Amino acid sequence: MWIPAGRSWWRGRALAPWASGPARPRLPWSRPAPTHAVATDPRAPSRPYGSAELKETPDMSRFPVEDIRNFSIIAHVDHGKSTLADRLLELTGTIEKTTNNKQVLDKLQVERERGITVKAQTASLFYSFGGKQYLLNLIDTPGHVDFSYEVSRSLSACQGVLLVVDANEGIQAQTVANFFLAFEAQLSVIPVINKIDLKNADPERVEKQIEKVFDIPSEECIKISAKLGTNVESVLHAVIERIPPPKVHRNNPLKALVFDSTFDQYRGVIANVALFDGMVSKGDKIVSAHTLKTYEVNEVGILVPNEQSTHKLYAGQVGYLIAGMKTVTEAQIGDTLYLHKHPVEPLPGFKSAKPMVFAGMYPIDQSEYNNLKSAIEKLTLNDSSVTVHRDSSLALGAGWRLGFLGLLHMEVFNQRLEQEYNASVILTTPTVPYKAVLASAKLIKVVKYLIPLCMSTNRELHKGVKVAEKLYFLKKMCNLLGSIMAIISSSFLLASFDYEDAGYQTAELVKMDILLNGNIVEELTTVVHKDKAYSVGKTICERLKDSLPRQLFEIAIQASIGSKVIARETVKAYRKNVLAKCYGGDITRKMKLLKRQAEGKKKLRKIGNIEVPKDAFIKVLKTQPNK
Amino acid sequence: MGLSGARARSWVAVTKVAQRRHLVDRTGESPSPEPATRRAALYVHWPYCQKRCSYCNFNKYIARGGPEEEALRSCLVTEARTLLRLSGVRRIESVFFGGGTPSLASPHTVAAVLEAVAQAAYLPADSEVTLEANPTSAPGPRLAAFGAAGVNRLSIGLQSLDDTELQLLGRTHSASDALQTLAEARRLFPGRVSVDLMLGLPAQKAGPWLRQLQELLCHCDDHLSLYQLSLERGTSLFTQAQQGILPAPDPELAAEMYQEGRTVLREAGFRQYEVSNFARNGALSTHNWTYWQCGQYLGIGPGAHGRFVPQGVEDHPREARIQTLEPDHWMKEVKLFGHGTRKRVPLSKLELLEECVALGLRTDVGITHQHWQQFEPQLTLWDVFGASTEVKDLLEQGLLLLDHRGLRCSWEGLAVLDSLLLTLLLRLQEVWQQRTPVPGGWSAVPVSQDKARQT
């Protein structure tokens, strides 16, 4: 068995000696008495990039396994996960209680703009209950179906979940999907009925629903209003009372699961870890079970919700670890870390998420290729569900073929590239994989079919079987190339689905080109079912018409199969585009506007002499309501 | 420099004679003896209105009582003097009283500003002095009093000849008020009256609007401006259109009105000398012409804009200046510092050239080679635009002309100038970045460094 102090001394690394002392009865935040070694040791902990929020370094040895609860909040979109998380953070003093705490755990700009959670976040909460201080590790999870892999990953570090259900809307598709994820992982489920303050709230009906669908007695439901803070405290009590502590051992050798990772350009890979056994501290030599590479730990800490370094992390705890991993391939999510020379049985890890939608991604300018490459590499490290293969196109040059979990996922990825890496890209039509046997130049015969399993709240949508009030279950086969895009898109917020491979089936397909003033738009070339070519072509032309800005000449938009034009739309030329009033001397504003537009013009892609905004194609491919 | 007090005080009397002189097309006239940095136009901003119009987002405030005007007047006079001194401008070629509703000001205020200018600089007797007038605030005797104060040109905010439309715009006058004011104005300022007409109002149809224009042609003088309504944020029309209370103006329909309107005016003998301005018998507005030719102008009054080279430093770049917006703050600053300049931004040479292109092309003359050379002696218009394939496309489409006279829009091109400008400005930037720097040339370097380099 390892003696922590001895190990630290033995390695002589930059770990302050008081950090590795035996557990002393003190509060987690209390500053340890400075020792001689600290005062003189130049290697005393100074972390240029560490969180500056808390001056004292918490002593994590204060929390034995039985005082730890690891839990997640799962819910359908908009049922109030993030609001409840905000309240829990406030209640435990993790963040200050102000009116400005909205989506505290949603750190990405895209999350705040769209009001969704994309990336799971972790926060360690300290809470006193029954005369004892507990360490509660909260892992916020995304609600949208596209990001359900994030949920299952987060659950692997938990022993229980709060299943939040809207008191007005009741059980929705993602509620069911998330419940089963938790149920299969054998986690304790605490149902929380939220938004009881709403006028149309009907918590009793929702209680009955929960009893019927999930077989959880209605008296176990906690009724709260996260917005107003009503009854939130009892949620914390339930977490402590109903969720078991993790079944792990501090005295076993280290076994840590990497359940998420982020990339920081200054510090390299920051791995979020859950300790199943043992402990880890700065200076330890650790090994990745996946790559067998050895690393030295530079920093460990907890997330509160920003990074707060600690001396150690112990079994059952959740936190982060920085160990000089620099390249994207080194920090595999699902990997197990163990101490050098003390190998352990690796944890099962994760099934990698299956991409559903594939699209080409190209730099707007080929000179941007390398920048974009590194941006994609960094972003995929934070989002490993995206698959990346190199690709190239005649029109667009070198690029990649990326696999996404859905269209929202694709959009979010694109938006993050723009916002976080300032990268502008061209995305091509999302498609699904298929095998083609060329019958002639324009006829393709074989196509892959997939079977989606859909759960929907909208009976009209898929003609499902009623499971509970306002909830339907259905199993329907559908042609991936045609209607699945419609189902995936229309089921945003309405349905959740899973899919399985149904093998290949034969179909008659044609290649359809889209032309702008006679020039083929490579990005929009699609393979469609012969019977659907006309309607698909017509829709693409109509949408393109709506998303192409007027220019100084007329634009003919055509869909064609071979040389046969099957649909056509026209964008008329500008007749007037000049600001009437341009004096009173205020030229500055006008010049600014013109220059901003000129800057934007530079970024447009040219097809022939037609200028096409880069989001035009995304707009064309996105399913719009009533279309 | 400067004139004797006696000479200055007699300025108003002299203008009376000059006003009756036959007017010539002044554009292309040989430049006055003063160098360009010693000449300027003067804009005077009167910030008050009786009522807020539903489409207007200009810097204006609802009018207050009389005693305040004295303070405002003395501040306008002070600021005019200060800026004339700072700019070293010796000759004011035109004065424009804009607003707001400057016809709400007392003629005495107008006279005081003009006297102050004539005392500090040369204000030729035949200089154009325009006043923006609102039909209801300008009955005949009042217009005459403005004439006596030195105003020799009127711009009437008529906007529409349809009472329902006038109501929608929040105007205080009716169509018959407008025509009456127009008739009075023409009697008092023959050949020197302009009217504004708007197009593209919500629910407006092309046919009835053209009939308004035809009717206006029976009553108007030699100058007319056609404006397309643009819904500006913060105005009540914008809000109403956003909320769906009003139909949003149809740009396609407005384009049709504009095209048909300019055709009607061309047939009536008007020259479209700028995107939205039409004149016959040479009655162009010299004041606005100065803006479009990138001439110098001083702006006084709350929120006024100016463009001039401050005096004293050789090779100092032209500055874009904005006066403090809010009248009370502006007055306080004028009293403390002699002027209420809130912002001074030195224009780099490229920025000046960009303005030269964007404004010059709004006129029918466009940018002549001579005109361009005054701003950029090294690179010709051919050098900048001749070799660009994008510009060639525009020339081939017949939207743009580049020939021995210079660079200008065609009749069709003028209507889509904003699209053409994007190509032209990008090309200008590109050429500018590639040019070999000329020693001693202007740059965007801050003033102090510029100075240091020369010493």
Side-chain angles (χ1 to χ4, degrees):
Chain A
M1 194 188 81
W2 286 95
I3 301 160
R7 191 178 70 215
S8 299
W9 282 116
W10 173 66
R11 305 223 169 211
R13 296 295 174 190
L15 183 77
W18 39 262
S20 48
R24 265 173 270 158
R26 65 166 104 95
L27 289 170
W29 303 131
S30 69
R31 193 180 179 82
T35 63
H36 177 73
V38 172
T40 54
D41 187 356
R43 297 160 302 176
S46 75
R47 308 185 198 288
Y49 303 110
S51 166
E53 277 184 0
L54 296 160
K55 296 283 177 283
E56 307 103 80
T57 308
D59 175 5
M60 298 309 289
S61 69
R62 288 272 298 127
F63 298 98
V65 170
E66 56 271 25
D67 295 347
I68 298 173
R69 302 289 183 273
N70 294 326
F71 70 104
S72 243
I73 309 180
I74 55 177
H76 189 75
V77 173
D78 264 346
H79 280 197
K81 279 181 317 289
S82 301
T83 317
L84 178 57
D86 290 346
R87 286 303 89 73
L88 296 180
L89 261 57
E90 284 172 8
L91 211 59
T92 52
T94 311
I95 55 170
E96 234 172 278
K97 191 175 176 179
T98 70
T99 46
N100 301 330
N101 290 331
K102 282 192 182 127
Q103 286 184 271
V104 172
L105 292 181
D106 291 340
K107 293 177 187 169
L108 303 176
Q109 190 184 343
V110 51
E111 296 181 314
R112 289 173 164 271
E113 275 175 16
R114 292 175 176 242
I116 55 171
T117 304
V118 170
K119 184 93 185 135
Q121 291 290 349
T122 306
S124 293
L125 320 175
F126 297 91
Y127 186 67
S128 293
F129 179 63
K132 222 171 158 188
Q133 197 174 34
Y134 288 88
L135 168 64
L136 312 178
N137 294 310
L138 158 64
I139 298 156
D140 191 23
T141 61
H144 193 275
V145 55
D146 277 11
F147 305 105
S148 57
Y149 70 99
E150 285 270 348
V151 178
S152 53
R153 187 187 294 167
S154 304
L155 295 186
S156 64
C158 294
Q159 286 74 46
V161 294
L162 298 174
L163 178 68
V164 177
V165 187
D166 185 311
N168 177 19
E169 291 185 3
I171 292 176
Q172 298 286 303
Q174 277 309 110
T175 320
V176 180
N178 284 328
F179 170 80
F180 283 117
L181 285 177
F183 187 74
E184 281 167 17
Q186 297 182 306
L187 305 183
S188 315
V189 176
I190 302 172
V192 174
I193 300 176
N194 189 20
K195 306 195 190 182
I196 54 167
D197 57 306
L198 287 187
K199 214 172 83 190
N200 296 325
D202 189 355
E204 281 69 35
R205 179 179 63 84
V206 177
E207 255 176 16
K208 279 182 204 132
Q209 261 192 353
I210 289 173
E211 187 158 0
K212 193 169 172 205
V213 179
F214 302 139
D215 202 19
I216 301 175
S218 57
E219 50 275 14
E220 283 187 25
C221 294
I222 305 174
K223 290 172 226 163
I224 66 156
S225 161
K227 196 174 136 205
L228 305 178
T230 316
N231 216 14
V232 174
E233 193 101 32
S234 59
V235 173
L236 285 174
H237 300 169
V239 166
I240 292 168
E241 287 168 340
R242 293 200 224 159
I243 296 175
K247 288 194 187 74
V248 296
H249 303 283
R250 194 183 277 190
N251 295 336
N252 288 354
L254 173 70
K255 186 196 266 189
L257 171 73
V258 178
F259 67 94
D260 199 0
S261 64
T262 50
F263 185 83
D264 181 295
Q265 57 172 325
Y266 302 108
R267 296 190 286 175
V269 175
I270 302 173
N272 287 9
V273 292
L275 267 68
F276 279 69
D277 278 320
M279 51 191 118
V280 65
S281 61
K282 181 172 175 173
D284 285 353
K285 278 206 170 153
I286 54 164
V287 180
S288 148
H290 181 72
T291 62
L292 297 178
K293 275 193 190 174
T294 308
Y295 302 91
E296 187 179 307
V297 177
N298 300 329
E299 185 177 329
V300 294
I302 52 171
L303 298 147
V304 287
N306 294 327
E307 288 140 26
Q308 162 66 42
S309 63
T310 59
H311 309 305
K312 286 194 176 203
L313 282 178
Y314 297 87
Q317 297 174 356
V318 171
Y320 71 95
L321 178 151
I322 301 172
M325 297 177 178
K326 285 190 181 64
T327 64
V328 294
T329 47
E330 285 173 279
Q332 282 286 329
I333 288 167
D335 196 0
T336 304
L337 303 175
Y338 58 84
L339 284 174
H340 185 54
K341 291 185 180 162
H342 284 82
V344 295
E345 177 75 13
L347 293 155
F350 305 109
K351 262 194 285 180
S352 52
K354 273 192 223 164
M356 289 282 288
V357 172
F358 292 83
M361 182 173 274
Y362 298 87
I364 284 188
D365 188 326
Q366 278 295 312
S367 65
E368 290 288 308
Y369 180 86
N370 283 324
N371 291 342
L372 183 57
K373 186 177 168 211
S374 93
I376 290 175
E377 278 174 359
K378 283 172 188 165
L379 198 49
T380 46
L381 178 68
N382 283 344
D383 185 352
S384 61
S385 57
V386 178
T387 61
V388 183
H389 298 281
R390 288 185 58 179
D391 200 357
S392 69
S393 139
L394 274 181
L396 303 170
W400 301 267
R401 187 142 201 90
L402 303 186
F404 301 98
L405 300 164
L407 285 182
L408 178 70
H409 185 213
M410 179 173 95
E411 265 183 61
V412 164
F413 188 86
N414 190 30
Q415 200 175 338
R416 288 187 67 187
L417 269 182
E418 264 178 33
Q419 290 174 345
E420 293 166 40
Y421 297 93
N422 198 24
S424 267
V425 299
I426 298 166
L427 268 176
T428 65
T429 321
T431 53
V432 294
Y434 55 87
K435 281 186 181 174
V437 176
L438 293 183
S440 73
K442 57 179 182 179
L443 267 183
I444 303 161
K445 279 227 147 162
V446 179
V447 60
K448 186 175 181 178
Y449 275 76
L450 294 178
I451 302 173
L453 303 167
C454 290
M455 252 174 302
S456 172
T457 50
N458 184 341
R459 181 200 277 273
E460 296 308 308
L461 193 67
H462 309 304
K463 298 202 169 62
V465 183
K466 187 167 172 177
V467 185
E469 198 177 343
K470 285 176 94 178
L471 185 71
Y472 305 91
F473 190 81
L474 59 119
K475 186 168 180 174
K476 182 183 156 196
M477 201 155 106
C478 101
N479 174 354
L480 197 65
L481 276 172
S483 46
I484 195 156
M485 292 308 281
I487 290 191
I488 297 171
S489 307
S490 63
S491 56
F492 277 0
L493 310 183
L494 285 176
S496 59
F497 61 90
D498 201 349
Y499 59 93
E500 53 195 51
D501 202 325
Y504 292 90
Q505 290 187 18
T506 311
E508 266 196 87
L509 301 179
V510 287
K511 179 174 162 232
M512 183 174 69
D513 289 320
I514 302 294
L515 299 92
L516 291 182
N517 283 359
N519 298 300
I520 291 179
V521 185
E522 284 221 1
E523 298 94 316
L524 292 179
T525 296
T526 40
V527 173
V528 283
H529 196 275
K530 202 179 146 208
D531 297 342
K532 296 220 165 127
Y534 175 76
S535 66
V536 171
K538 189 167 179 291
T539 313
I540 292 182
C541 287
E542 279 169 2
R543 290 192 187 153
L544 205 48
K545 183 189 174 183
D546 293 338
S547 53
L548 280 181
R550 286 194 169 193
Q551 327 227 335
L552 290 167
F553 41 81
E554 197 173 276
I555 307 169
I557 306 167
Q558 295 166 314
S560 77
I561 296 167
S563 59
K564 190 181 160 210
V565 173
I566 56 165
R568 181 194 159 114
E569 291 288 333
T570 307
V571 177
K572 283 193 195 158
Y574 256 133
R575 290 182 65 197
K576 180 177 191 293
N577 179 30
V578 58
L579 200 67
K581 217 151 197 160
C582 190
Y583 50 86
D586 185 6
I587 299 160
T588 313
R589 230 170 74 187
K590 164 89 172 163
M591 292 308 297
K592 263 192 195 150
L593 183 72
L594 280 171
K595 280 195 225 168
R596 202 167 55 229
Q597 288 172 345
E599 244 352 88
K601 186 184 170 84
K602 267 201 243 172
K603 290 187 185 149
L604 298 175
R605 194 171 120 56
K606 276 202 146 189
I607 293 172
N609 56 348
I610 299 162
E611 288 165 340
V612 182
K614 80 183 184 68
D615 61 347
F617 298 143
I618 297 181
K619 281 188 193 158
V620 166
L621 302 165
K622 214 159 69 175
T623 298
Q624 293 149 7
N626 310 320
K627 277 210 170 179
Chain B
M1 190 191 103
L3 298 158
S4 73
R7 168 77 178 78
R9 269 188 291 280
S10 66
W11 186 82
V12 170
V14 177
T15 56
K16 292 242 164 74
V17 185
Q19 202 176 304
R20 283 167 185 42
R21 281 210 309 251
H22 181 68
L23 288 152
V24 288
D25 181 350
R26 290 161 52 106
T27 62
E29 192 181 283
S30 63
S32 68
E34 301 283 356
T37 54
R38 293 282 173 265
R39 286 179 278 137
L42 174 70
Y43 174 79
V44 185
H45 192 78
W46 177 263
Y48 297 117
C49 286
Q50 229 158 21
K51 184 175 177 267
R52 215 171 284 276
C53 292
S54 60
Y55 58 91
C56 175
N57 73 337
F58 273 36
N59 181 39
K60 74 272 140 198
Y61 304 84
I62 300 313
R64 293 174 302 184
E68 306 241 354
E69 183 167 351
E70 215 172 295
L72 193 80
R73 177 192 307 140
S74 105
C75 285
L76 285 172
V77 165
T78 307
E79 192 167 54
R81 287 192 181 125
T82 311
L83 292 192
L84 278 167
R85 185 166 45 78
L86 291 177
S87 62
V89 162
R90 292 200 199 112
R91 179 184 166 112
I92 290 295
E93 313 212 280
S94 63
V95 183
F96 193 101
F97 290 88
T101 312
S103 53
L104 287 174
S106 84
H108 180 41
T109 297
V110 170
V113 171
L114 292 174
E115 293 298 335
V117 171
Q119 275 170 22
Y122 175 48
L123 179 62
D126 59 348
S127 306
E128 179 186 283
V129 180
T130 309
L131 177 87
E132 278 182 348
N134 182 340
T136 40
S137 63
R142 200 172 163 78
L143 290 183
F146 279 120
V151 170
N152 57 23
R153 185 173 178 273
L154 280 184
S155 169
I156 300 177
L158 176 141
Q159 316 307 4
S160 168
L161 286 179
D162 179 310
D163 284 343
T164 320
E165 287 177 5
L166 286 168
Q167 242 169 7
L168 176 76
L169 293 172
R171 303 292 292 183
T172 50
H173 66 268
S174 67
S176 73
D177 290 340
L179 290 178
Q180 204 182 331
T181 306
L182 176 55
E184 290 279 2
R186 289 188 65 187
R187 193 174 56 76
L188 290 163
F189 305 94
R192 310 212 57 171
V193 179
S194 174
V195 285
D196 291 353
L197 185 68
M198 277 197 170
L199 58 89
L201 306 188
Q204 196 175 44
K205 298 271 183 302
W209 180 78
L210 277 169
R211 282 195 290 281
Q212 277 190 48
L213 179 61
Q214 295 287 4
E215 189 190 349
L216 191 56
L217 278 176
C218 304
H219 300 281
C220 76
D221 203 2
D222 289 340
H223 195 281
L224 207 140
S225 303
L226 294 187
Y227 295 116
Q228 182 181 339
L229 172 74
S230 55
L231 290 184
E232 304 289 348
R233 229 161 242 291
T235 63
S236 97
L237 275 193
F238 179 87
T239 317
Q240 291 177 59
Q242 283 267 301
Q243 292 170 346
I245 301 167
L246 280 177
D250 175 7
E252 195 54 23
L253 204 59
E256 188 187 328
M257 291 182 208
Y258 181 71
Q259 294 298 7
E260 295 198 18
R262 61 202 288 234
T263 309
V264 164
L265 287 169
R266 181 163 67 176
E267 281 158 9
F270 280 83
R271 165 182 163 195
Q272 182 177 14
Y273 71 101
E274 195 261 353
V275 169
S276 48
N277 285 283
F278 302 79
R280 65 183 167 198
N281 302 323
L284 286 73
S285 159
T286 51
H287 184 82
N288 289 328
W289 191 261
T290 302
Y291 292 151
W292 299 317
Q293 290 299 304
C294 240
Q296 289 204 116
Y297 53 96
L298 313 180
I300 65 168
H305 289 250
R307 288 275 187 290
F308 62 84
V309 180
Q311 195 193 16
V313 195
E314 264 323 289
D315 263 354
H316 190 83
R318 179 184 287 203
E319 288 181 356
R321 289 179 169 237
I322 307 174
Q323 309 308 105
T324 294
L325 275 176
E326 207 277 319
D328 291 337
H329 296 174
W330 171 80
M331 276 197 266
K332 208 179 275 172
E333 285 166 35
V334 175
K335 282 174 192 159
L336 278 171
F337 314 113
H339 64 87
T341 304
R342 179 49 67 96
K343 203 174 169 193
R344 293 170 55 184
V345 183
L347 293 175
S348 70
K349 191 155 180 202
L350 173 63
E351 285 173 314
L352 187 58
L353 290 177
E354 285 169 344
E355 288 194 354
C356 176
V357 169
L359 294 169
L361 289 178
R362 293 181 68 87
T363 64
D364 58 347
V365 176
I367 309 156
T368 63
H369 291 295
Q370 296 91 315
H371 177 64
W372 178 260
Q373 217 195 347
Q374 287 173 20
F375 291 94
E376 172 49 45
Q378 315 291 333
L379 292 167
T380 66
L381 285 171
W382 294 107
D383 293 337
V384 178
F385 300 111
S388 153
T389 48
E390 281 90 2
V391 175
K392 268 186 198 150
D393 282 347
L394 298 177
L395 296 172
E396 272 163 29
Q397 285 176 62
L399 296 170
L400 206 59
L401 296 145
L402 177 59
D403 58 18
H404 64 284
R405 280 161 60 192
L407 180 71
R408 64 193 176 280
C409 292
S410 69
W411 166 266
E412 293 76 22
L414 197 60
V416 291
L417 174 59
D418 283 3
S419 293
L420 307 184
L421 281 177
L422 300 185
T423 301
L424 296 171
L425 292 177
L426 282 175
R427 175 62 185 172
L428 175 59
Q429 283 169 12
E430 187 188 337
V431 172
W432 193 253
Q433 276 153 15
Q434 286 163 5
R435 86 199 193 287
T436 41
V438 184
W442 276 351
S443 64
V445 191
V447 183
S448 52
Q449 281 184 27
D450 236 359
K451 242 166 121 182
R453 205 171 42 189
Q454 280 158 7
T455 50

